[in-house]
Amino acid sequence: MPLPFLTADRAFEVADDVALPFDDREHWRRPYRPGPWRVAAAALCLLLASYVLFAAVVIALTGSVSEAGVIFGVSLLVIAGALRLLRMGVWVSSRGVRQVNFFVTRTVTWNRVVAVRTAQRPVRWMGLPRTVQGQALTVVRRDRASDGPLPLLTTHGADFLARPEAFDRAADSVEAWADEYRRP
């Protein structure tokens, strides 16, 4: 007895021209999955937040509601930081490329992009000041040609450390988006 719902190579009964939910080119999407270092750091932050929330409940039960409110606020800040940590990265859409950092988000529209290329260069290790030799996906902008290229992804970031294949796939994907939507 065949079980077609369990196989990945089954023929679909619906029409092939039906758009899938992820086919909307207008929505911002990350062309790669978050790396294990980023996910582990966010999980540890959420674990810390659960302990802090438990401490807020214990403090509230012992009598001091104002102190419990402060501790509850701290736990909300830790949760917001963990969610922002997971949101960090490079996002692309038909409108442009967006680099989301912890505090700053930069968006460059495709008509301002001159080139997107991968280059061998010194890169920051896990975002720290120490630099190591690696690869970086850079964006050269029309309005900032004198500042040098803006690095989007690096091989030694939290998403691609010890995952060179994932970096290559992500860089190829962003370069393909740039070639498709960039106007000369």
Side-chain angles (χ1 to χ4, degrees), residues 131-160:
T131 59
V132 295
Q133 192 65 25
Q135 289 184 345
L137 180 71
T138 58
V139 170
V140 179
R141 296 170 42 177
R142 272 185 225 287
D143 54 350
R144 302 243 177 139
S146 63
D147 293 346
L150 173 71
L152 291 177
L153 304 171
T154 64
T155 53
H156 289 78
D159 291 321
F160 303 110

Side-chain angles (χ1 to χ4, degrees), residues 108-128:
V108 179
T109 58
W110 290 121
N111 58 2
R112 291 177 27 202
V113 172
V114 174
V116 177
R117 61 178 79 104
T118 304
Q120 189 81 15
R121 58 185 276 189
V123 296
R124 294 171 61 167
W125 184 79
M126 296 284 283
L128 298 173

Side-chain angles (χ1 to χ4, degrees), residues 42 58 93 162:
V58 169
S93 79

Side-chain angles (χ1 to χ4, degrees), residues 2-184:
L3 300 174
F5 58 89
L6 294 178
T7 61
D9 57 346
R10 66 183 167 96
F12 292 103
E13 289 80 22
V14 295
D16 289 333
D17 60 349
V18 175
L20 295 173
F22 55 82
D23 281 347
D24 186 13
R25 298 271 197 194
E26 292 297 316
H27 287 130
W28 292 99
R29 71 186 73 209
R30 187 185 344 220
Y32 58 91
R33 288 186 290 207
W37 291 98
R38 185 175 309 282
V39 172
L44 286 174
C45 287
L46 290 174
L47 182 67
L48 173 69
S50 69
Y51 286 119
V52 174
L53 278 172
F54 183 72
V57 169
V58 169
I59 291 172
L61 291 176
T62 60
S64 179
V65 178
S66 63
E67 290 176 3
V70 170
I71 300 299
F72 181 72
V74 168
S75 69
L76 289 180
L77 285 175
V78 172
I79 291 171
L83 293 177
R84 186 65 180 184
L85 188 65
L86 288 174
R87 181 105 172 117
M88 288 172 55
V90 173
W91 298 76
V92 291
S93 79
S94 62
R95 290 175 268 168
V97 60
R98 178 176 286 174
Q99 185 177 22
V100 178
N101 292 330
F102 196 77
F103 293 112
V104 179
T105 299
R106 285 187 220 110
T107 303
V108 179
T109 58
W110 290 121
N111 58 2
R112 291 177 27 202
V113 172
V114 174
V116 177
R117 61 178 79 104
T118 304
Q120 189 81 15
R121 58 185 276 189
V123 296
R124 294 171 61 167
W125 184 79
M126 296 284 283
L128 298 173
R130 177 179 178 221
T131 59
V132 295
Q133 192 65 25
Q135 289 184 345
L137 180 71
T138 58
V139 170
V140 179
R141 296 170 42 177
R142 272 185 225 287
D143 54 350
R144 302 243 177 139
S146 63
D147 293 346
L150 173 71
L152 291 177
L153 304 171
T154 64
T155 53
H156 289 78
D159 291 321
F160 303 110
L161 190 64
R163 296 175 51 210
E165 304 87 19
F167 174 80
D168 292 338
R169 281 192 309 270
D172 291 343
S173 177
V174 173
E175 288 173 354
W177 276 78
D179 289 340
E180 184 175 349
Y181 288 106
R182 207 167 17 111
R183 293 177 189 88

